[in-house]
């Protein structure tokens, strides 16, 4: 397996580095303070044909691969993790299930506008009583004549305030979970944006409330009763996105710490000359590189059509824990300034924590890895 980037992947990395530094980074701190969602950034990304990057051109996508998707998420997250998670969720949770399991009619109706950036993608699985235990879904869809009537709620849903429709799960029988594509403007569908979060302040995280929301068989995503399995497959791909997001956060925090260490003078010399600081930075650089390679490996396996469940969990688990360690040390290297908003690393530290929780907690990832290795 060769991880030399292709010419196209290098081009995408350069494009995204320039875009992230020119369009995303300048307002990141202010958006974090004001909790403003950067809708204009995603409009510009749509103009660059990035909102459907890994999907076929026939659906308005860019025809790129999963490694390219990971590069985009990393470069965005390197300067603003809120932007990174918004994009990652749009692609891996919003677009992917429709591409993987949707009918041709559904792809024409829903996937094309997603890839064109005319709406953001969202995915409703988690419920107040069904987090790690995703099989504990309580939202119900009852068939009445030609329609399904859905009642229930979802929580911690990314992008729903800016989504015209959401793919979500509901019980359609005893222990039978089915996925539906539900318009957010349907009667009885309410999106509640009222969370006060630790980090990722300029990403959109919502609750969904469904009260007698009506859809038809044409809105069933995939086969009836296969929703749980479909969403587990979706989460495998989503974990590559979270892994890439974690690598980006870690890279950004490391670069800030390295720059600060080369400028900060204590005891008559730059603190980068002290071995204690050098060892911290060396460990950070090493772990980031290892995490990036794990993300690329999982992405490469996915692109080869090979099984990647174990590698997706490994890259997500390792990269998220690396991000927390790196951000912690970046704050430490900054000393008292690291605790202050103006030095950015405290934002990276707060944002990194979600990577250990979203798309399956670290504990769930270890369960998956243990299962995959035959325990």
């Amino acid at each position: 397996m060769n991880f030399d980037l292709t010419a196209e992947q290098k081009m995408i990395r350069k494009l995204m580095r320039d875009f992230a530094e020119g369009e995303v980074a300048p307002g990141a701190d202010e958006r974090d303070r004001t909790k403003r969602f950067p809708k204009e950034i995603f409009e510009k990304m749509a103009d660059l044909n990035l909102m459907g990057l890994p999907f076929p051109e026939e659906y308005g996508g860019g025809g790129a691969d999963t490694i390219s998707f990971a590069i985009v998420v990393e470069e965005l997250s390197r300067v603003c993790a809120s932007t990174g998670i918004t994009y990652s969720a749009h692609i891996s949770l919003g677009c992917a299930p429709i591409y993987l399991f949707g009918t041709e009619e559904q792809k024409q109706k829903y996937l094309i506008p997603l890839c064109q950036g005319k709406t953001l993608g969202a995915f409703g699985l988690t419920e107040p009583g069904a987090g790690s235990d995703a099989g504990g879904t309580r939202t119900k869809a009852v068939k009445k004549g030609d329609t399904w009537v859905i009642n229930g709620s979802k929580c911690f849903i990314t992008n729903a305030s800016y989504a015209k429709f959401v793919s979500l799960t509901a019980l359609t029988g005893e222990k039978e979970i089915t996925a539906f594509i539900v318009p957010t403007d349907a009667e009885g569908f309410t999106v509640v944006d009222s969370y006060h979060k630790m980090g990722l302040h300029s990403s959109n995280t919502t609750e969904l409330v469904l009260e007698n929301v009506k859809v038809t068989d044409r809105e069933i995503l995939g086969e009836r009763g296969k929703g749980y399995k479909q969403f587990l497959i979706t989460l495998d791909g989503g974990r590559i996105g979270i892994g890439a997001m974690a690598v980006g956060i870690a890279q950004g925090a490391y670069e800030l710490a390295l720059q600060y260490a080369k400028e900060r003078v204590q005891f008559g010399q730059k603190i980068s000359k002290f071995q204690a600081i050098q060892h911290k930075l060396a460990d950070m650089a090493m772990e980031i590189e290892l995490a990036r390679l794990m993300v690329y490996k999982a992405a490469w396996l996915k692109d080869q059509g090979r099984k990647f469940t174990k590698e997706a969990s490994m890259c997500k688990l390792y990269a998220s824990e690396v991000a927390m360690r790196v951000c912690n040390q970046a704050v430490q290297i900054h000393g008292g300034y690291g605790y202050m908003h103006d030095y950015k690393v405290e934002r990276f530290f707060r944002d990194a924590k979600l990577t250990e929780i979203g798309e399956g907690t670290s504990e769930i990832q270890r369960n998956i890895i243990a299962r995959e290795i035959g325990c």
Side-chain angles (χ1 to χ4, degrees):
M1 185 172 14
N2 189 342
F3 277 125
D4 287 342
L5 296 182
T6 66
E8 182 181 4
Q9 291 162 352
K10 289 177 181 177
M11 181 185 70
I12 289 171
R13 184 174 63 181
K14 184 181 186 306
L15 169 69
M16 289 313 303
R17 178 65 59 94
D18 292 344
F19 182 84
E21 292 183 350
E23 301 288 345
V24 183
D29 288 333
E30 184 63 22
R31 291 193 301 273
D32 180 67
R33 272 193 286 263
T34 61
K35 301 177 173 58
R36 186 183 69 81
F37 183 81
K39 188 176 179 182
E40 70 284 354
I41 288 174
F42 297 101
E43 291 172 350
K44 291 175 181 177
M45 290 182 70
D47 291 339
L48 293 171
N49 198 29
L50 291 165
M51 298 306 286
L53 183 69
F55 301 104
E57 295 178 8
E58 65 186 288
Y59 299 118
D65 58 12
T66 309
I67 292 177
S68 297
F69 158 67
I71 288 169
V72 174
V73 175
E74 178 186 340
E75 291 298 331
L76 292 172
S77 302
R78 176 179 156 270
V79 298
C80 177
S82 290
T83 306
I85 195 172
T86 300
Y87 181 78
S88 180
H90 166 78
I91 294 288
S92 62
L93 302 183
C95 299
I98 296 173
Y99 174 66
L100 291 171
F101 310 114
T103 63
E104 185 59 31
E105 179 185 356
Q106 289 171 338
K107 291 175 185 178
Q108 293 292 329
K109 183 176 180 179
Y110 301 113
L111 183 57
I112 288 177
L114 284 168
C115 290
Q116 293 174 338
K118 293 180 179 178
T119 178
L120 283 178
F123 168 98
L125 178 62
T126 303
E127 298 184 4
S132 294
D133 178 18
T137 297
R138 292 291 175 266
T139 296
K140 291 185 178 180
V142 178
K143 191 74 177 286
K144 294 185 178 180
D146 294 331
T147 63
W148 291 92
V149 181
I150 307 176
N151 284 279
S153 64
K154 302 289 180 177
C155 61
F156 311 142
I157 309 304
T158 303
N159 296 345
S161 295
Y162 300 90
K164 294 180 180 179
F165 43 84
V166 178
S167 301
L168 56 83
T169 50
L171 286 168
T172 49
E174 188 176 355
K175 296 184 179 179
E176 178 188 87
I177 297 176
T178 301
F180 294 88
I181 304 171
V182 184
T184 53
D185 63 356
E187 185 177 354
F189 194 117
T190 305
V191 178
V192 182
D193 180 7
S194 61
Y195 287 123
H196 296 281
K197 301 178 292 185
M198 175 191 292
L200 301 171
H201 286 161
S202 61
S203 71
N204 177 243
T205 311
T206 68
E207 298 174 78
L208 309 180
V209 180
L210 297 94
E211 298 176 300
N212 295 322
V213 174
K214 296 178 181 178
V215 295
T216 69
D217 283 338
R218 297 175 76 173
E219 279 72 60
I220 289 178
L221 178 60
E223 297 179 45
R224 175 177 173 173
K226 298 292 181 66
Y228 182 61
K229 182 179 179 181
Q230 291 165 1
F231 274 34
L232 289 182
I233 293 169
T234 299
L235 288 170
D236 282 344
R239 286 169 185 141
I240 295 173
I242 296 295
M245 174 187 167
V247 170
I249 293 171
Q251 183 70 36
Y254 159 75
E255 290 175 3
L256 289 169
L258 179 62
Q259 178 183 354
Y260 182 83
K262 289 179 177 179
E263 296 171 353
R264 175 68 166 168
V265 175
Q266 291 286 274
F267 304 103
Q269 63 179 332
K270 305 286 178 63
I271 65 171
S272 62
K273 298 302 181 182
F274 292 105
Q275 191 178 67
I277 301 299
Q278 292 175 348
H279 285 185
K280 288 181 187 294
L281 290 164
D283 286 344
M284 292 157 77
M286 174 182 66
E287 290 201 301
I288 292 168
E289 188 64 21
L290 289 169
R292 181 179 291 112
L293 288 173
M294 293 180 77
V295 170
Y296 286 1
K297 179 180 179 181
W300 181 83
L301 287 171
K302 183 175 186 290
D303 288 332
Q304 299 301 308
R306 292 165 60 176
K307 185 173 173 59
F308 65 99
T309 296
K310 177 182 61 146
E311 289 77 10
S313 283
M314 283 181 168
C315 82
K316 190 270 186 189
L317 172 63
Y318 184 72
S320 64
E321 294 188 350
V322 164
M324 284 302 296
R325 286 195 293 271
V326 168
C327 290
N328 182 42
Q329 290 300 329
V331 172
Q332 192 72 16
I333 288 169
H334 279 74
Y337 290 111
Y339 207 69
M340 302 300 155
H341 185 86
D342 290 346
Y343 280 75
K344 300 183 190 298
V345 286
E346 65 86 30
R347 166 165 63 88
F348 284 73
F349 184 85
R350 288 185 286 106
D351 290 349
K353 185 58 192 175
L354 189 277
T355 65
E356 292 187 313
I357 298 169
E359 304 268 359
T361 63
S362 297
E363 292 76 16
I364 290 297
Q365 302 314 314
R366 287 184 165 89
N367 286 348
I368 293 169
I369 294 165
R371 183 192 69 213
E372 291 295 315
I373 63 175
C375 289

